[in-house]
């Protein structure tokens, strides 16, 4: 693996991934994408529970552990029981070795395991200690378990506004808030690395799912802070603006119309071949169109329902009308725009039926990333890592016998 990474931006950067599930490990994944050597520490029995999430509804069923592959590519797995007294020396050598440590255990659990910043910083003054919590490090809920669906989506109001008025809140795709928060933690780590260049010192960086969710919903939260009056929940048949609204085509497909600005009105009407709208007094200007949005939707709905999606894609594109097709996942994995821009990139080692994977969303033009390789089996690199940390064969065997570590096991 070191051979693959020798010419990359973060070649030589050493990362200790003590996190579980998605947000923390995904931040380490981005560092690994740019060449960092990432050691994933997970329990010897069962490993990171995220290894098994792909088997849990509502995740799509697959014979391939695609979720583990996505978030743990190009890492080395050390199966280490952090609760074992024998692990303390291993942990301390890892911290001395590392440039960056990532964790997402609640503060109280970190204290018990001996992995708080205050406990570890004296071992390595250049260490960047990066953590993610559900609800922040302070306050009554600091130790409350946080998931993206609860802390990111529900708590910050995103779940309240991302559904239509006639439907209840629904579950989003797992990991949306986690992946967004991972990028934020990555940016905090890189900021701290730059500070280390200036000062020679490491430091503690942190973010939370609730902070990331508030940032995502900031436009409306800022409105609430300023006493703004909010419109009612979006209702597709009675929207605030009929030209910023989803519509359904003859073949049951959906697209989002975004001809919302006043200057777009005449071009939209011409494209749709609906000249009668230009002389209808209900739609004479933007204010009237908004006041009569329900009537405009009732006119547009049957028109869009007359033709399949392909027809409207052609018509709206030729008319330079802004819209977005609500794509299916079968279409997304073949999206030529995503392939052309390396949003989807080839796997170095294809797994299962997949030839591509989802790239991390940061690009430095002219700076290559590591080709996404296979995610590790549990304990695959335990002996190798401990040998690098100068543990003897006798010491390693003793840890294997007492269960402090385990070696390679078949991935789920």
């Amino acid at each position: 693996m070191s051979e693959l990474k020798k010419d990359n931006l973060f070649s030589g950067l050493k990362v200790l991934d003590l996190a579980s599930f998605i947000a923390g490990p995904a931040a380490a994944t981005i560092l690994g994408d740019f060449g960092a050597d990432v050691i994933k520490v997970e329990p010897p029995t069962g490993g990171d529970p995220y290894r098994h999430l792909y088997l849990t509804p509502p995740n799509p069923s697959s014979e391939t552990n695609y979720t583990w592959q996505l978030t743990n590519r190009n890492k080395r797995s050390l199966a280490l029981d952090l609760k074992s007294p024998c692990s303390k020396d291993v942990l301390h050598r890892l911290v001395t070795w590392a440039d960056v440590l990532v964790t997402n255990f609640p503060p109280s659990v970190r204290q018990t395991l001996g992995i708080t910043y205050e406990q570890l910083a004296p071992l390595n003054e250049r260490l960047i200690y990066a953590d993610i919590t559900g609800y922040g490090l302070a306050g009554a809920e600091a130790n409350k378990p946080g998931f993206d669906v609860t802390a990111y989506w529900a708590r910050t109001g995103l779940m309240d506004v991302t559904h239509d008025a006639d439907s209840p809140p629904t579950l989003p795709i797992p990991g949306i808030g986690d992946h967004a928060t991972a990028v934020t933690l990555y940016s905090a780590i890189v900021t701290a690395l730059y500070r280390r260049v200036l000062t020679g010192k490491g430091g503690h960086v942190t973010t939370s799912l609730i902070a990331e969710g508030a940032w995502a919903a900031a436009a409306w939260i800022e409105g609430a802070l300023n006493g703004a009056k909010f419109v009612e929940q979006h209702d597709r048949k009675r929207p605030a603006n009929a030209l910023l609204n989803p519509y359904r085509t003859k073949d049951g497909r959906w697209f989002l119309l975004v001809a919302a600005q006043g200057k777009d009105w005449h071009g939209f009407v011409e494209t749709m071949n609906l000249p009668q709208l230009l002389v209808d007094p209900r739609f004479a200007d933007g204010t009237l169109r908004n006041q009569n949005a329900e009537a405009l939707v009732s006119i547009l709905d049957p028109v869009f329902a007359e033709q399949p999606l392909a027809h409207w894609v052609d018509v709206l594109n030729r008319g330079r009308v802004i819209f977005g097709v609500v794509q299916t996942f079968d279409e997304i994995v073949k999206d030529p725009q995503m392939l052309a821009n390396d949003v989807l990139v080839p796997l170095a080692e294809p797994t299962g039926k997949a030839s591509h994977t989802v790239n991390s969303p940061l690009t430095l033009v002219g700076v290559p990333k590591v080709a996404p390789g296979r995610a590790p089996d549990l304990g695959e690199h335990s002996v190798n890592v401990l040998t690098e940390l100068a543990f003897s064969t006798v010491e390693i065997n003793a840890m294997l016998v007492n269960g402090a570590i385990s070696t390679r096991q078949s991935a789920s």
Side-chain angles (χ1 to χ4, degrees):
M1 188 170 296
S2 58
E3 286 299 308
L4 289 173
K5 298 183 178 183
K6 63 182 180 180
D7 296 324
N8 292 96
L9 179 65
F10 285 147
S11 295
L13 187 74
K14 295 168 286 189
V15 180
L16 183 57
D17 179 355
L18 296 182
S20 180
F21 275 83
I22 306 176
T29 298
I30 302 173
L31 292 167
D33 285 346
F34 285 104
D37 181 6
V38 183
I39 294 178
K40 168 79 177 179
V41 175
E42 47 185 329
T45 304
D48 183 342
Y50 190 55
R51 284 183 176 272
H52 315 289
L53 192 69
Y54 79 110
L55 299 171
T56 305
N59 295 285
S61 59
S62 173
E63 295 178 358
T64 304
N65 195 342
Y66 56 92
T67 54
W68 182 254
Q69 172 63 33
L70 172 65
T71 309
N72 292 281
R73 58 185 178 233
N74 293 341
K75 296 181 183 180
R76 296 193 284 167
S77 172
L78 168 60
L80 176 68
D81 182 3
L82 291 174
K83 297 178 182 179
S84 169
C86 300
S87 72
K88 186 173 182 180
D89 191 20
V90 177
L91 175 65
H92 286 186
R93 292 197 203 185
L94 285 168
V95 171
T96 303
W97 166 87
D99 293 293
V100 178
L101 182 152
V102 178
T103 184
N104 63 349
F105 291 113
S108 61
V109 176
R110 290 181 224 169
Q111 184 70 42
T112 300
L113 294 175
I115 60 170
T116 67
Y117 175 70
E118 292 74 18
Q119 290 165 321
L120 298 181
L123 301 172
N124 183 352
E125 67 173 7
R126 290 175 56 80
L127 180 70
I128 308 299
Y129 182 100
D131 72 57
I132 284 178
T133 61
Y135 299 94
L137 293 174
E141 296 176 77
N143 287 300
K144 182 178 180 179
F147 297 91
D148 76 332
V149 289
T150 55
Y152 177 92
W153 278 102
R155 186 66 171 269
T156 64
L158 286 168
M159 190 175 285
D160 185 50
V161 297
T162 51
H163 65 96
D164 222 44
D166 59 355
S167 63
T170 189
L171 285 174
I173 295 173
I176 294 178
D178 286 313
H179 281 111
T181 308
V183 175
T184 294
L185 189 66
Y186 168 84
S187 68
I189 292 168
V190 173
T191 302
L193 287 171
Y194 177 67
R195 177 177 175 268
R196 192 177 75 172
V197 170
L198 299 178
T199 67
K201 303 292 185 182
H204 182 186
V205 298
T206 184
T207 189
S208 65
L209 293 168
I210 195 172
E212 185 69 28
W215 183 245
W220 280 29
I221 292 177
E222 192 74 10
L225 289 169
N226 286 275
K229 182 179 180 181
F230 287 84
V231 299
E232 295 180 359
Q233 183 77 29
H234 182 267
D235 185 327
R236 200 200 70 78
K237 293 185 177 181
R238 291 172 289 277
N241 186 342
L243 303 180
L244 179 60
N245 201 44
Y247 290 93
R248 195 173 192 178
T249 61
K250 184 178 181 179
D251 50 352
R253 297 297 303 276
W254 289 92
F255 70 92
L256 180 65
L257 182 65
V258 194
Q261 300 184 63
K263 65 182 179 62
D264 300 323
W265 173 243
H266 282 76
F268 171 71
V269 170
E270 291 174 6
T271 297
M272 296 296 296
N273 193 26
L274 296 171
Q276 67 272 24
L277 296 181
L278 294 178
V279 296
D280 192 319
R282 296 174 297 175
F283 313 128
D285 58 36
T287 299
L288 288 169
R289 286 193 291 275
N290 290 345
Q291 291 175 354
N292 295 287
E294 182 177 354
L296 186 52
V297 170
S298 69
I299 293 171
L300 295 177
D301 264 347
V303 174
F304 285 124
E306 289 176 356
Q307 298 290 344
L309 178 64
H311 169 84
W312 291 117
V313 168
D314 179 59
V315 168
L316 297 175
N317 276 333
R318 283 191 286 108
R320 300 181 65 84
V321 175
I322 300 173
F323 71 99
V325 173
V326 180
Q327 290 203 116
T328 67
F329 285 99
D330 287 341
E331 293 167 332
I332 292 166
V333 298
K334 301 172 185 176
D335 190 319
Q337 194 67 15
M338 293 193 188
L339 292 166
N341 288 278
D342 290 335
V343 177
L344 306 176
V345 291
L347 284 162
E349 304 170 57
T351 57
K353 297 180 180 179
S355 61
H356 286 68
T357 189
V358 181
N359 199 359
S360 50
L362 298 99
T363 298
L364 277 70
V365 176
V367 177
K369 290 182 177 179
V370 175
R374 180 180 57 82
D377 292 344
L378 175 58
E380 180 175 346
H381 305 95
S382 294
V383 173
N384 173 266
V385 169
L386 292 177
T387 301
E388 289 180 18
L389 294 173
F391 285 95
S392 69
T393 300
V394 172
E395 290 172 313
I396 293 171
N397 286 336
M399 284 187 272
L400 285 168
V401 169
N402 66 33
I405 66 168
S406 68
T407 56
R408 180 173 184 155
Q409 297 178 22
S410 177
S412 298

CSV table of all heavy atoms in Angstrom, one decimal, residues 115-150:
chain,number,residue,atom,x,y,z
A,115,ILE,N,-8.7,7.8,26.0
A,115,ILE,CA,-8.3,8.3,24.6
A,115,ILE,C,-8.8,9.7,24.5
A,115,ILE,O,-9.1,10.2,23.4
A,115,ILE,CB,-8.9,7.4,23.5
A,115,ILE,CG1,-10.4,7.3,23.6
A,115,ILE,CG2,-8.2,6.1,23.5
A,115,ILE,CD1,-11.0,6.6,22.3
A,116,THR,N,-9.0,10.5,25.6
A,116,THR,CA,-9.3,11.9,25.4
A,116,THR,C,-8.1,12.7,24.9
A,116,THR,O,-7.0,12.2,25.0
A,116,THR,CB,-9.8,12.5,26.8
A,116,THR,OG1,-8.7,12.5,27.7
A,116,THR,CG2,-10.9,11.7,27.4
A,117,TYR,N,-8.4,13.9,24.4
A,117,TYR,CA,-7.2,14.7,24.0
A,117,TYR,C,-6.3,14.9,25.1
A,117,TYR,O,-5.0,14.9,24.9
A,117,TYR,CB,-7.8,16.0,23.4
A,117,TYR,CG,-6.7,17.0,23.0
A,117,TYR,CD1,-5.8,16.7,22.0
A,117,TYR,CD2,-6.4,18.1,23.8
A,117,TYR,CE1,-4.8,17.6,21.6
A,117,TYR,CE2,-5.4,19.0,23.5
A,117,TYR,CZ,-4.6,18.7,22.4
A,117,TYR,OH,-3.6,19.6,22.0
A,118,GLU,N,-6.8,15.3,26.3
A,118,GLU,CA,-5.9,15.6,27.4
A,118,GLU,C,-5.1,14.4,27.8
A,118,GLU,O,-4.0,14.5,28.3
A,118,GLU,CB,-6.8,16.0,28.6
A,118,GLU,CG,-7.5,17.4,28.4
A,118,GLU,CD,-8.7,17.3,27.4
A,118,GLU,OE1,-9.2,16.2,27.2
A,118,GLU,OE2,-9.1,18.4,26.9
A,119,GLN,N,-5.6,13.2,27.7
A,119,GLN,CA,-4.9,12.0,28.0
A,119,GLN,C,-3.8,11.6,27.0
A,119,GLN,O,-2.7,11.0,27.4
A,119,GLN,CB,-5.8,10.8,28.2
A,119,GLN,CG,-6.7,10.9,29.4
A,119,GLN,CD,-7.9,9.9,29.4
A,119,GLN,OE1,-8.5,9.7,28.3
A,119,GLN,NE2,-8.2,9.3,30.5
A,120,LEU,N,-4.0,11.9,25.7
A,120,LEU,CA,-3.1,11.5,24.7
A,120,LEU,C,-2.2,12.6,24.2
A,120,LEU,O,-1.0,12.3,23.7
A,120,LEU,CB,-3.9,11.0,23.5
A,120,LEU,CG,-4.8,9.8,23.8
A,120,LEU,CD1,-5.5,9.3,22.5
A,120,LEU,CD2,-4.0,8.6,24.3
A,121,ALA,N,-2.5,13.9,24.3
A,121,ALA,CA,-1.7,14.9,23.8
A,121,ALA,C,-0.3,14.9,24.3
A,121,ALA,O,0.7,15.2,23.6
A,121,ALA,CB,-2.4,16.3,24.0
A,122,PRO,N,-0.1,14.6,25.6
A,122,PRO,CA,1.3,14.6,26.1
A,122,PRO,C,2.2,13.6,25.5
A,122,PRO,O,3.4,13.8,25.5
A,122,PRO,CB,1.1,14.3,27.6
A,122,PRO,CG,-0.3,14.8,27.9
A,122,PRO,CD,-1.1,14.5,26.7
A,123,LEU,N,1.6,12.6,24.8
A,123,LEU,CA,2.4,11.6,24.2
A,123,LEU,C,3.0,12.1,22.8
A,123,LEU,O,4.0,11.5,22.3
A,123,LEU,CB,1.6,10.3,23.9
A,123,LEU,CG,1.0,9.6,25.1
A,123,LEU,CD1,0.1,8.5,24.7
A,123,LEU,CD2,2.1,9.1,26.0
A,124,ASN,N,2.4,13.1,22.2
A,124,ASN,CA,2.8,13.6,20.9
A,124,ASN,C,2.3,15.0,20.7
A,124,ASN,O,1.1,15.2,20.4
A,124,ASN,CB,2.1,12.6,19.8
A,124,ASN,CG,2.5,13.0,18.4
A,124,ASN,OD1,3.2,14.0,18.2
A,124,ASN,ND2,2.1,12.1,17.5
A,125,GLU,N,3.2,15.9,20.9
A,125,GLU,CA,2.8,17.4,20.8
A,125,GLU,C,2.4,17.8,19.4
A,125,GLU,O,1.8,18.8,19.2
A,125,GLU,CB,3.9,18.2,21.3
A,125,GLU,CG,5.2,18.3,20.5
A,125,GLU,CD,6.2,19.3,20.9
A,125,GLU,OE1,6.0,19.9,22.0
A,125,GLU,OE2,7.2,19.4,20.2
A,126,ARG,N,2.7,17.0,18.4
A,126,ARG,CA,2.4,17.3,17.0
A,126,ARG,C,1.1,16.7,16.6
A,126,ARG,O,0.6,16.8,15.4
A,126,ARG,CB,3.5,16.9,16.1
A,126,ARG,CG,4.7,17.8,16.2
A,126,ARG,CD,5.9,17.3,15.4
A,126,ARG,NE,5.5,17.2,13.9
A,126,ARG,CZ,5.5,18.2,13.1
A,126,ARG,NH1,5.8,19.5,13.6
A,126,ARG,NH2,5.2,18.1,11.8
A,127,LEU,N,0.4,15.9,17.5
A,127,LEU,CA,-0.8,15.2,17.1
A,127,LEU,C,-2.0,16.1,16.8
A,127,LEU,O,-2.3,17.0,17.6
A,127,LEU,CB,-1.2,14.2,18.2
A,127,LEU,CG,-2.4,13.4,18.0
A,127,LEU,CD1,-2.2,12.3,16.9
A,127,LEU,CD2,-2.9,12.7,19.3
A,128,ILE,N,-2.7,15.9,15.7
A,128,ILE,CA,-3.9,16.5,15.5
A,128,ILE,C,-5.0,15.6,15.9
A,128,ILE,O,-5.2,14.5,15.3
A,128,ILE,CB,-4.1,16.8,14.0
A,128,ILE,CG1,-2.9,17.6,13.4
A,128,ILE,CG2,-5.5,17.6,13.7
A,128,ILE,CD1,-2.7,19.0,14.1
A,129,TYR,N,-5.7,15.9,17.0
A,129,TYR,CA,-6.8,15.1,17.6
A,129,TYR,C,-8.1,15.6,17.0
A,129,TYR,O,-8.5,16.7,17.3
A,129,TYR,CB,-6.7,15.2,19.1
A,129,TYR,CG,-7.7,14.3,19.8
A,129,TYR,CD1,-7.3,13.1,20.4
A,129,TYR,CD2,-9.0,14.7,20.0
A,129,TYR,CE1,-8.2,12.3,21.1
A,129,TYR,CE2,-9.9,14.0,20.8
A,129,TYR,CZ,-9.5,12.8,21.3
A,129,TYR,OH,-10.4,12.0,22.0
A,130,ALA,N,-8.8,14.8,16.3
A,130,ALA,CA,-10.0,15.2,15.6
A,130,ALA,C,-11.2,14.4,16.0
A,130,ALA,O,-11.2,13.1,15.9
A,130,ALA,CB,-9.9,15.1,14.1
A,131,ASP,N,-12.2,15.0,16.5
A,131,ASP,CA,-13.4,14.2,17.0
A,131,ASP,C,-14.7,14.8,16.4
A,131,ASP,O,-14.8,15.9,16.1
A,131,ASP,CB,-13.4,14.2,18.5
A,131,ASP,CG,-13.8,15.5,19.2
A,131,ASP,OD1,-14.9,16.0,18.9
A,131,ASP,OD2,-13.1,16.0,20.0
A,132,ILE,N,-15.6,13.8,16.3
A,132,ILE,CA,-17.0,14.1,15.9
A,132,ILE,C,-17.9,13.6,17.0
A,132,ILE,O,-17.8,12.5,17.6
A,132,ILE,CB,-17.4,13.4,14.6
A,132,ILE,CG1,-16.7,14.1,13.4
A,132,ILE,CG2,-18.9,13.4,14.4
A,132,ILE,CD1,-17.0,13.5,12.1
A,133,THR,N,-18.9,14.5,17.4
A,133,THR,CA,-20.0,14.1,18.3
A,133,THR,C,-21.3,14.3,17.7
A,133,THR,O,-21.4,14.8,16.6
A,133,THR,CB,-19.9,14.9,19.6
A,133,THR,OG1,-20.1,16.3,19.3
A,133,THR,CG2,-18.5,14.7,20.3
A,134,GLY,N,-22.4,13.7,18.3
A,134,GLY,CA,-23.7,14.0,17.9
A,134,GLY,C,-24.2,15.4,18.2
A,134,GLY,O,-24.7,16.1,17.3
A,135,TYR,N,-23.9,15.8,19.4
A,135,TYR,CA,-24.5,17.1,19.9
A,135,TYR,C,-23.5,18.1,20.5
A,135,TYR,O,-23.9,19.0,21.2
A,135,TYR,CB,-25.6,16.8,20.9
A,135,TYR,CG,-26.7,15.9,20.4
A,135,TYR,CD1,-26.7,14.5,20.5
A,135,TYR,CD2,-27.8,16.5,19.7
A,135,TYR,CE1,-27.7,13.7,20.0
A,135,TYR,CE2,-28.8,15.7,19.1
A,135,TYR,CZ,-28.7,14.3,19.3
A,135,TYR,OH,-29.7,13.5,18.7
A,136,GLY,N,-22.2,17.9,20.2
A,136,GLY,CA,-21.2,18.8,20.7
A,136,GLY,C,-20.6,18.2,22.0
A,136,GLY,O,-21.1,17.3,22.6
A,137,LEU,N,-19.5,18.9,22.4
A,137,LEU,CA,-18.7,18.4,23.6
A,137,LEU,C,-19.2,19.0,24.9
A,137,LEU,O,-18.9,18.5,26.0
A,137,LEU,CB,-17.2,18.8,23.4
A,137,LEU,CG,-16.5,18.1,22.3
A,137,LEU,CD1,-15.1,18.7,22.2
A,137,LEU,CD2,-16.4,16.6,22.6
A,138,ALA,N,-20.1,20.0,24.8
A,138,ALA,CA,-20.6,20.7,26.0
A,138,ALA,C,-22.1,20.5,26.2
A,138,ALA,O,-22.8,20.0,25.2
A,138,ALA,CB,-20.3,22.2,26.0
A,139,GLY,N,-22.6,20.8,27.3
A,139,GLY,CA,-24.1,20.8,27.5
A,139,GLY,C,-24.6,19.4,28.0
A,139,GLY,O,-23.8,18.5,28.1
A,140,ALA,N,-25.9,19.4,28.3
A,140,ALA,CA,-26.5,18.2,29.0
A,140,ALA,C,-26.5,17.0,28.1
A,140,ALA,O,-26.5,15.9,28.6
A,140,ALA,CB,-27.9,18.5,29.4
A,141,GLU,N,-26.4,17.2,26.8
A,141,GLU,CA,-26.5,16.1,25.8
A,141,GLU,C,-25.1,15.7,25.2
A,141,GLU,O,-25.1,15.0,24.2
A,141,GLU,CB,-27.5,16.4,24.7
A,141,GLU,CG,-28.9,16.6,25.3
A,141,GLU,CD,-29.9,17.0,24.2
A,141,GLU,OE1,-30.3,16.2,23.4
A,141,GLU,OE2,-30.2,18.2,24.1
A,142,ALA,N,-24.1,16.1,25.8
A,142,ALA,CA,-22.7,15.9,25.2
A,142,ALA,C,-22.5,14.4,25.1
A,142,ALA,O,-21.8,13.9,24.1
A,142,ALA,CB,-21.7,16.5,26.1
A,143,ASN,N,-23.0,13.6,26.0
A,143,ASN,CA,-22.7,12.1,25.9
A,143,ASN,C,-23.9,11.3,25.3
A,143,ASN,O,-23.9,10.1,25.3
A,143,ASN,CB,-22.5,11.6,27.3
A,143,ASN,CG,-21.1,12.0,27.9
A,143,ASN,OD1,-20.1,11.6,27.3
A,143,ASN,ND2,-21.1,12.7,29.0
A,144,LYS,N,-24.8,12.1,24.8
A,144,LYS,CA,-26.0,11.4,24.1
A,144,LYS,C,-25.6,10.8,22.8
A,144,LYS,O,-24.9,11.5,22.0
A,144,LYS,CB,-27.1,12.4,23.9
A,144,LYS,CG,-28.4,11.9,23.3
A,144,LYS,CD,-29.4,13.0,23.2
A,144,LYS,CE,-30.7,12.4,22.6
A,144,LYS,NZ,-31.8,13.5,22.5
A,145,PRO,N,-25.9,9.6,22.5
A,145,PRO,CA,-25.5,9.0,21.2
A,145,PRO,C,-26.2,9.8,20.1
A,145,PRO,O,-27.4,10.2,20.2
A,145,PRO,CB,-26.1,7.6,21.2
A,145,PRO,CG,-26.2,7.3,22.7
A,145,PRO,CD,-26.5,8.6,23.4
A,146,GLY,N,-25.5,10.1,19.0
A,146,GLY,CA,-26.0,10.9,17.9
A,146,GLY,C,-25.9,10.2,16.6
A,146,GLY,O,-24.8,9.6,16.3
A,147,PHE,N,-27.0,10.2,15.8
A,147,PHE,CA,-27.0,9.6,14.5
A,147,PHE,C,-27.4,10.7,13.5
A,147,PHE,O,-28.0,11.7,13.9
A,147,PHE,CB,-27.9,8.4,14.4
A,147,PHE,CG,-27.6,7.3,15.3
A,147,PHE,CD1,-28.1,7.2,16.6
A,147,PHE,CD2,-26.7,6.3,14.9
A,147,PHE,CE1,-27.8,6.2,17.4
A,147,PHE,CE2,-26.4,5.2,15.7
A,147,PHE,CZ,-26.9,5.2,17.0
A,148,ASP,N,-27.0,10.6,12.3
A,148,ASP,CA,-27.3,11.7,11.4
A,148,ASP,C,-28.8,11.9,11.2
A,148,ASP,O,-29.3,13.0,11.1
A,148,ASP,CB,-26.6,11.5,10.0
A,148,ASP,CG,-27.3,10.4,9.1
A,148,ASP,OD1,-27.9,9.5,9.6
A,148,ASP,OD2,-27.1,10.5,7.9
A,149,VAL,N,-29.6,10.8,11.3
A,149,VAL,CA,-31.0,11.0,11.2
A,149,VAL,C,-31.7,11.7,12.4
A,149,VAL,O,-32.7,12.4,12.2
A,149,VAL,CB,-31.8,9.6,11.0
A,149,VAL,CG1,-31.5,9.0,9.6
A,149,VAL,CG2,-31.4,8.6,12.1
A,150,THR,N,-31.0,11.6,13.5
A,150,THR,CA,-31.6,12.3,14.7
A,150,THR,C,-30.9,13.7,14.9
A,150,THR,O,-31.6,14.7,15.0
A,150,THR,CB,-31.4,11.5,16.0
A,150,THR,OG1,-30.0,11.1,16.1
A,150,THR,CG2,-32.2,10.2,15.9
